[in-house]
Amino acid sequence: MLTSPQQKQSVDTLIHAKWIARVNIDEPLIDHTIVVDQGIIVDLLPQTQARQKYQAESTYHLDEHIVTPGYINAHGHAAMTLFRGYADDLPLMTWLEDHIWPNESRWLSAEFTRVGSELAIAEMIRGGTTCFSDNYFFSHDVGSSAQKIGIRAQLCPTILNIKTSWANHVDEYLAQAEDSFHKFKSSPLVNSILGPHSPYALNDAELSKVVTKANDLDCMIQMHIHETAEEISNSLEQYYCRPIARIDRVGMLTSKLQAVHMTQLTEHEMDLIAERDVKVVHCPESNLKLASGFCPVSSLRARDITLALGTDGAASNNDLDMMGEMRCASMLAKAVANDATELNAASTLRMATLEGAKCMGIDDIVGSIEIGKQADLCATALNELANLPVYNPISQLIYTANRDQVSHVWVAGNALLKDKKLTTLDCDKLKQDVLHWQEKLAP
């Protein structure tokens, strides 16, 4: 008697790929399938077995692609994309005090933030980014745009002691940040923490208020720290100690701190942040362009410090290209350490994915391709002549590929980029809005 063939299991999506970089394991899978259902990776198996076992509403055949976790841009200022190229080739404090802050004071608004953020999100998705951290004002509007478009985001509402159109003083900034925290507390895509700008932007009492609020909310803090040598010398002159010592004194130097830039560090300071499990966000291209200094990547990695990767804002970078950031980070780390083996391709990819997720405290749901995690994924074609031959697909991804080769991006299983086309943004309308702001902002 004939037996009926085994009925296939129905799922939402099958992604058949030439290579799959899981990140939690260095060796890529070859000719395997990622099975996605209800936004979750439910299986990972050879393509022949997947075709026998599953049927899907959507099937992708990516025969010349490497699929990686989506990139996590661990630090940026999305709305400042409207200032891209506005004040180039200047040192940090001149750039901030003479150009960026005066124009933000004049133009900052919910609409400015929305348009700039959506421009940034469009660029990031097209480059393979599925999650970004945003240290800026009007965080409610940034978060709403992220939810609408379908990208994952960590909001870090900026906290300052100067008046802006968003808040008048530190207490109002903290109140706005707390509102943002509660507004997105139940969101599956967006969460909100605290974003004090820098040690030099707040006095000790104000820094203490940030720590108290973070403890009350049980949330993380992200702040620019030890970005330039000038920051260190000014702190020594004004407070008779280095910035890390100041923030340690007020109780901020803990595992809940995401310290951005960190280009000026002593051996003792690196030992201390390792002991306290402080997370570090490296922004190599911004640091280079502003001549801020070099983050000691090799020394931080040797201490097993969580080290994520960020682009910083497009006003200082001038792009939000995580693939370019990865290549720069790897090569710069080798040069600074005088060691060609430092930050190899697999470690660099991990920095842009799983380490970013650890930095934000979301590595239980994203950052690697594992069964049970959210399907935040990026597919990059490696079929250009400049990529061939492919002996090591992860090396080719880091050292030869570029963001224009990203073809598909998924967040929680939803395709935000399909065959290089954005699916959740009206690009024509966005371009009109951006050009309108260009006319307003033109010097």
Side-chain angles (χ1 to χ4, degrees):
M1 184 174 67
L2 295 175
T3 58
S4 59
Q6 184 177 1
Q7 187 173 2
K8 293 183 179 180
Q9 183 178 338
S10 295
V11 293
D12 293 334
T13 306
L14 294 175
I15 302 170
H16 303 300
K18 180 63 179 177
W19 302 284
I20 297 173
R22 294 167 287 179
V23 173
N24 61 314
I25 299 171
D26 284 351
E27 282 299 311
L29 296 172
I30 300 174
D31 295 329
H32 271 58
T33 299
I34 302 170
V35 184
V36 180
D37 197 49
Q38 296 184 354
I40 304 295
I41 299 169
V42 297
D43 208 347
L44 193 60
L45 71 172
Q47 291 181 21
T48 52
Q49 295 178 24
R51 291 187 177 96
Q52 294 170 356
K53 186 175 180 180
Y54 296 102
Q55 60 183 10
E57 291 183 16
S58 300
T59 299
Y60 299 86
H61 299 278
L62 305 176
D63 300 329
E64 298 176 302
H65 296 67
I66 181 170
V67 176
T68 67
Y71 305 131
I72 295 176
N73 187 347
H75 176 68
H77 313 275
M80 292 180 73
T81 307
L82 287 178
F83 286 127
R84 192 199 316 265
Y86 194 83
D88 284 336
D89 306 319
L90 297 169
L92 174 63
M93 296 315 296
T94 303
W95 174 79
L96 272 175
E97 294 175 350
D98 296 349
H99 299 274
I100 298 302
W101 284 347
N103 280 287
E104 280 182 327
S105 177
R106 181 181 180 188
W107 295 110
L108 182 64
S109 66
E111 182 64 9
F112 171 93
T113 304
R114 181 193 67 79
V115 174
S117 297
E118 291 186 3
L119 176 62
I121 291 169
E123 178 182 355
M124 286 190 282
I125 293 172
R126 292 183 69 177
T129 294
T130 54
C131 178
F132 70 101
S133 181
D134 188 60
N135 192 305
Y136 209 63
F137 312 98
F138 291 96
S139 53
H140 305 64
D141 299 276
V142 182
S144 295
S145 289
Q147 286 190 144
K148 179 186 69 175
I149 295 166
I151 192 171
R152 209 174 294 278
Q154 172 190 265
L155 307 175
C156 315
T158 300
I159 299 166
L160 291 168
N161 61 8
I162 59 175
K163 182 178 179 180
T164 68
S165 59
W166 196 49
N168 291 307
H169 47 73
V170 167
D171 289 342
E172 284 192 8
Y173 283 108
L174 284 168
Q176 291 279 27
E178 184 170 4
D179 286 348
S180 181
F181 175 85
H182 291 299
K183 177 178 175 63
F184 297 103
K185 191 172 183 179
S186 61
S187 170
L189 292 177
V190 179
N191 71 85
S192 192
I193 63 171
L194 303 183
H197 181 272
S198 56
Y200 59 80
L202 298 165
N203 63 37
D204 286 0
E206 292 162 342
L207 289 172
S208 294
K209 286 184 176 183
V210 174
V211 173
T212 298
K213 182 62 68 177
N215 289 337
D216 289 346
L217 298 176
D218 190 23
C219 73
M220 301 190 83
I221 296 170
Q222 184 180 101
M223 183 164 66
H224 308 90
I225 304 172
H226 281 226
E227 186 172 0
T228 65
E230 183 182 8
E231 175 189 341
I232 310 301
S233 61
N234 288 345
S235 180
L236 287 168
E237 182 178 337
Q238 184 174 0
Y239 296 101
Y240 307 103
C241 65
R242 291 163 66 88
I244 281 181
R246 277 190 65 215
I247 63 174
D248 186 26
R249 192 165 60 201
V250 300
M252 192 181 288
L253 202 69
T254 72
S255 62
K256 292 185 178 296
L257 178 63
Q258 301 170 16
V260 183
H261 296 298
M262 300 291 266
T263 68
Q264 317 287 324
L265 295 172
T266 65
E267 294 292 324
H268 169 71
E269 287 166 343
M270 288 187 282
D271 289 340
L272 187 60
I273 64 176
E275 177 187 322
R276 303 290 178 81
D277 192 24
V278 173
K279 282 65 176 176
V280 174
V281 183
H282 180 32
C283 302
E285 291 189 3
S286 176
N287 291 342
L288 287 171
K289 185 164 180 283
L290 292 170
S292 298
F294 306 116
C295 179
V297 168
S298 179
S299 296
L300 295 174
R301 280 168 36 83
R303 290 169 168 83
D304 292 324
I305 292 167
T306 299
L307 186 59
L309 192 64
T311 61
D312 210 345
S316 64
N317 187 318
N318 295 32
D319 59 38
L320 306 175
D321 179 2
M322 284 293 287
M323 291 183 70
E325 212 73 41
M326 284 193 288
R327 185 180 304 176
C328 179
S330 179
M331 293 185 176
L332 184 60
K334 298 175 192 301
V336 170
N338 195 28
D339 181 358
T341 68
E342 180 56 47
L343 201 60
N344 64 23
S347 298
T348 305
L349 179 59
R350 183 184 177 93
M351 182 189 289
T353 53
L354 189 54
E355 291 294 295
K358 286 182 177 179
C359 177
M360 295 184 189
I362 55 174
D363 53 302
D364 58 327
I365 60 169
V366 295
S368 57
I369 298 178
E370 301 181 62
I371 294 172
K373 284 196 171 184
Q374 296 272 315
D376 288 18
L377 306 166
C378 168
T380 306
L382 294 181
N383 56 359
E384 299 289 337
L385 290 176
N387 306 131
L388 302 177
V390 180
Y391 302 116
N392 182 330
I394 297 177
S395 287
Q396 297 302 73
L397 178 72
I398 302 302
Y399 299 126
T400 74
N402 63 67
R403 63 178 174 177
D404 292 334
Q405 293 170 241
V406 173
S407 61
H408 296 75
V409 172
W410 299 264
V411 173
N414 297 313
L416 304 188
L417 187 74
K418 189 181 295 186
D419 293 320
K420 298 189 177 184
K421 294 182 179 179
L422 293 164
T423 64
T424 59
L425 274 157
D426 184 340
C427 294
D428 291 336
K429 173 65 165 57
L430 177 58
K431 187 174 181 179
Q432 290 176 3
D433 290 344
V434 171
L435 293 176
H436 171 71
W437 273 102
Q438 178 181 314
E439 291 181 8
K440 281 188 171 186
L441 295 167

